[in-house]
Amino acid sequence: MFRTKSVEQSIRDTEEPEHALKKSLSALDLTVFGVGVIIGTGIFVLTGQVAKETAGPATAIAFAVAGVVCALAALCYAEFASTVPVAGSAYTFAYAALGELVAWIIGWDLVLEFALGTAVVAVGWSGYVRSLMDNVNWTMPEVLSGPDVAEGFGFDILAFALVLVLTVILVVGMKLSARVTSVVVAIKVGVVLMVIIAGLFFIKAENYKPFIPPAETQETGGGWDAPLVQLMFGYEPTNFGVMGIFTAASIVFFAFIGFDVVATAAEETKLPQRDMPRGILGSLIICTVLYVAVSLVVTGMQHYSELSVSAPLADAFKATGHPFYAGLISFGAAVGLTTVCMILLLGQTRVFFAMSRDGLLPRFFSKTHPRFRTPYRPTILLGVLIAIIAGFTSIEELATLVNIGTLFAFVVVALGVLVLRRTQPDLPRAFRTPWVPLLPIVSVAASVWLMLNLPVETWVRFAAWMALGVIIYFVYGRSHSLLGKRGR
C-alpha cells in the first residue's frame, strides 16, 4: 500500500509511444492557462458578498491572505512539477514521495475537485449567457435553463453544450486549447483592467471608512452549516474585525482555485524544469495583484454595506450611472468562464490518464490518440459525464466540495516535499522550495486552518467520497497496479 514509484520510473513511463503526450507548451502558455482558470466567478461575484457580509473594504487584505496561502502551496508545486514533469499533478507527486495508497486517495480527490469544478463553472457560465440573452429580449425556456431556474424538472442545455464543445477542443490538441485560451484570457483580463482603470475615477474616500469594520459574532446556528472549527474548539467565527479578515480569506480562497491545474500539464511542456515554476508562480502573482486592485476599487466606488451580492462589479457601475460598463463586465464574465471550464476539464482528464497509465484505473484509458497525441478516451468519457452532471446540477450543492478538495491536495503536496527532500536528497531539482522545512509546514498549517473553516456538511460529503475511493482501491487498484505487478 505504501510502495513508491521512483521519479526515474515515472519519467520512463512517459516515453512509451502509445502512452506518451505531445510536448507543445511554453512558459507563456502555462501562465495563460493559470490566469485563465484562476480569474472566474470569484472576482466577479465573491468580492461583493465578502465585502458586505464579512470584511468590508478589508476584503483586499483577505484576498492577499488567500493569495499568500496559495503562494506557499505554489512553491511546493513548483518544486515537484519541475522535478517530476509527469501528468497527474499532486497524484504523481504523492506516488513518488508518500506511497501508492496516498497517491490513490489524492488522485481520487482531484477527480472529484476538477469534475465538480467543471460542472459548477459551466452552470455559472450558462447563467451569465442567459442574462446577456435577456438584455436583447431572448429568453430560454425554463425547462432548458437548469434546476436553479425551472420549477420541477430542469435541464441546463447551455452548460451541457459548453462542456461537450470544450471536450472536442481538448481531444483535438493542447496547442489549439492554448490558442483558444490565449484569446479568451486577453478579453477577460482586459475587462478586469477596465474595471480597475474606469473605477478609479469614481472612488470616494469616505467609502473606505471604516476600512476594517468593528467585529460582529457570526451567526452559524451551530449545526451542519457551522464551520468545523466551531464544533472542535468552541471558536466563534466573526464577521468584520481582524478575525473577520481570516474568515473572509477562507471564502475568497475559491477565487484562487485552479493554479494547481497548471501542474497537470507538466508532461506536455517543452522545458518543464524551467517553465513549470514560471507558469505556476507567474499566474498566481498576476491574479493576486488584480484581485486586490479590483476589491479596493469596488469598495471605493460604493460603500460596502450597499454592494450587490450577485453582481457587485456590474451593479457598482450602475450605481454610479454607467450601465455600459455593467454590460461589458457581464460579457467579460461569460467569456472568461469558458477558459475556467476548459482548463478544469483538462486537469481532470490528465489525472485520470495518469492513474490509468499506472494501472490503478483500467489501462484502456491510458492510450493516446494516434494523431493528436491526447488522452482522448478519458477526455470523451469524462466530458460526457460532466456535461450530464452540469445539466442537472445546482451550484450551491457542490461548490464547497471543490474548496476542501483543493486544500487537501495542497496539504499532500507540501508533505510530499518534506518527505522527498529526506528520502531522495540528491535528486536533481531545477527549482527548490525555499526555507524547507519551515515553508511546507506553514503551508500545511494554513491549508488545514482554511479547511476547518468550511461547514461540517462539506466534511461529511468529502469523507463519504474518500471512503468510496478507498473501497475501489482495495477492490481493483491494488491488484491491478502496474508498480505492484513489476514488484511481483
Side-chain angles (χ1 to χ4, degrees):
M1 289 188 297
F2 298 101
R3 54 197 172 208
T4 57
K5 184 178 181 181
S6 69
V7 174
E8 295 79 9
Q9 183 61 55
S10 294
I11 295 174
R12 280 198 297 271
D13 286 347
T14 69
E15 298 168 354
E16 298 175 7
E18 62 179 7
H19 301 290
L21 297 172
K22 184 177 180 180
K23 297 183 181 295
S24 60
L25 301 179
S26 64
L28 178 61
D29 292 327
L30 295 172
T31 303
V32 169
F33 271 139
V35 174
V37 73
I38 295 172
I39 297 181
T41 52
I43 189 64
F44 293 110
V45 177
L46 287 180
T47 307
Q49 175 189 339
V50 170
K52 187 171 185 176
E53 301 174 359
T54 311
T59 298
I61 302 177
F63 271 115
V65 169
V68 169
V69 174
C70 290
L72 294 173
L75 290 167
C76 299
Y77 268 93
E79 174 169 328
F80 259 127
S82 60
T83 306
V84 194
V86 178
S89 184
Y91 158 76
T92 301
F93 308 155
Y95 213 160
L98 302 174
E100 185 172 276
L101 178 59
V102 178
W104 165 266
I105 290 174
I106 193 63
W108 188 246
D109 164 61
L110 291 174
V111 167
L112 174 73
E113 175 198 337
F114 293 148
L116 297 188
T118 304
V120 168
V121 172
V123 175
W125 174 87
S126 173
Y128 273 108
V129 171
R130 289 197 306 272
S131 175
L132 289 172
M133 292 171 65
D134 289 340
N135 291 341
V136 292
N137 297 319
W138 292 356
T139 304
M140 290 284 294
E142 282 193 2
V143 71
L144 297 178
S145 299
D148 285 328
V149 178
E151 295 182 6
F153 175 81
F155 184 78
D156 196 331
I157 189 67
L158 291 176
F160 176 80
L162 173 68
V163 176
L164 290 185
V165 170
L166 297 179
T167 298
V168 172
I169 292 175
L170 289 175
V171 168
V172 170
M174 280 295 287
K175 200 61 187 177
L176 174 62
S177 304
R179 288 170 182 164
V180 172
T181 302
S182 298
V183 173
V184 177
V185 168
I187 296 172
K188 182 162 56 175
V189 172
V191 170
V192 173
L193 291 175
M194 180 213 69
V195 170
I196 296 170
I197 295 170
L200 288 173
F201 294 96
F202 308 117
I203 288 177
K204 296 179 180 178
E206 58 266 26
N207 288 333
Y208 290 129
K209 299 176 182 178
F211 192 78
I212 303 178
E216 300 174 0
T217 301
Q218 190 181 125
E219 297 294 334
T220 62
W224 289 104
D225 61 339
L228 182 62
V229 67
Q230 182 178 359
L231 299 185
M232 292 177 63
F233 307 113
Y235 163 76
E236 291 288 340
T238 61
N239 290 328
F240 307 115
V242 175
M243 292 308 297
I245 294 174
F246 294 99
T247 303
S250 68
I251 299 172
V252 300
F253 175 81
F254 181 82
F256 288 92
I257 285 177
F259 80 85
D260 53 318
V261 180
V262 176
T264 66
E267 193 173 325
E268 294 158 277
T269 304
K270 295 176 183 176
L271 297 171
Q273 287 78 9
R274 183 195 70 184
D275 294 342
M276 287 305 301
R278 293 181 180 181
I280 293 173
L281 296 171
S283 59
L284 186 60
I285 291 170
I286 290 170
C287 292
T288 302
V289 171
L290 291 177
Y291 281 3
V292 171
V294 166
S295 58
L296 284 173
V297 167
V298 76
T299 53
M301 290 175 62
Q302 193 174 17
H303 194 268
Y304 72 88
S305 61
E306 300 173 356
L307 283 173
S308 160
V309 172
S310 58
L313 275 65
D315 290 347
F317 277 101
K318 286 181 182 178
T320 58
H322 295 81
F324 167 77
Y325 291 111
L328 201 58
I329 289 169
S330 296
F331 171 75
V335 172
L337 291 181
T338 307
T339 55
V340 179
C341 194
M342 181 172 71
I343 299 168
L344 286 174
L345 183 59
L346 163 72
Q348 157 83 306
T349 57
R350 269 43 179 186
V351 172
F352 198 94
F353 169 77
M355 294 174 75
S356 66
R357 187 165 59 186
D358 289 332
L360 300 180
L361 290 171
R363 292 267 291 174
F364 170 82
F365 295 108
S366 65
K367 297 287 183 69
T368 55
H369 193 282
R371 177 184 173 188
F372 302 125
R373 311 307 303 170
T374 56
Y376 68 107
R377 289 174 176 174
T379 301
I380 293 172
L381 171 68
L382 296 169
V384 172
L385 288 176
I386 294 171
I388 295 171
I389 293 171
F392 290 105
T393 292
S394 174
I395 289 182
E396 295 179 0
E397 297 173 0
L398 301 175
T400 52
L401 277 171
V402 181
N403 275 17
I404 196 169
T406 303
L407 286 165
F408 181 65
F410 286 3
V411 170
V412 171
V413 170
L415 291 175
V417 168
L418 290 174
V419 172
L420 206 61
R421 282 286 187 96
R422 186 174 184 84
T423 57
Q424 299 188 52
D426 299 326
L427 187 69
R429 292 171 170 83
F431 177 88
R432 297 177 69 89
T433 302
W435 308 312
V436 174
L438 178 62
L439 190 144
I441 292 173
V442 172
S443 177
V444 170
S447 297
V448 169
W449 173 251
L450 292 186
M451 290 173 73
L452 292 176
N453 278 277
L454 292 171
V456 175
E457 185 177 19
T458 300
W459 279 86
V460 172
R461 290 177 177 175
F462 181 68
W465 176 259
M466 290 293 103
L468 175 62
V470 171
I471 292 171
I472 293 175
Y473 171 74
F474 282 108
V475 171
Y476 180 89
R478 188 164 179 261
S479 59
H480 290 80
S481 165
L482 202 61
L483 184 64
K485 289 180 178 178
R486 286 170 178 157
R488 290 191 291 273

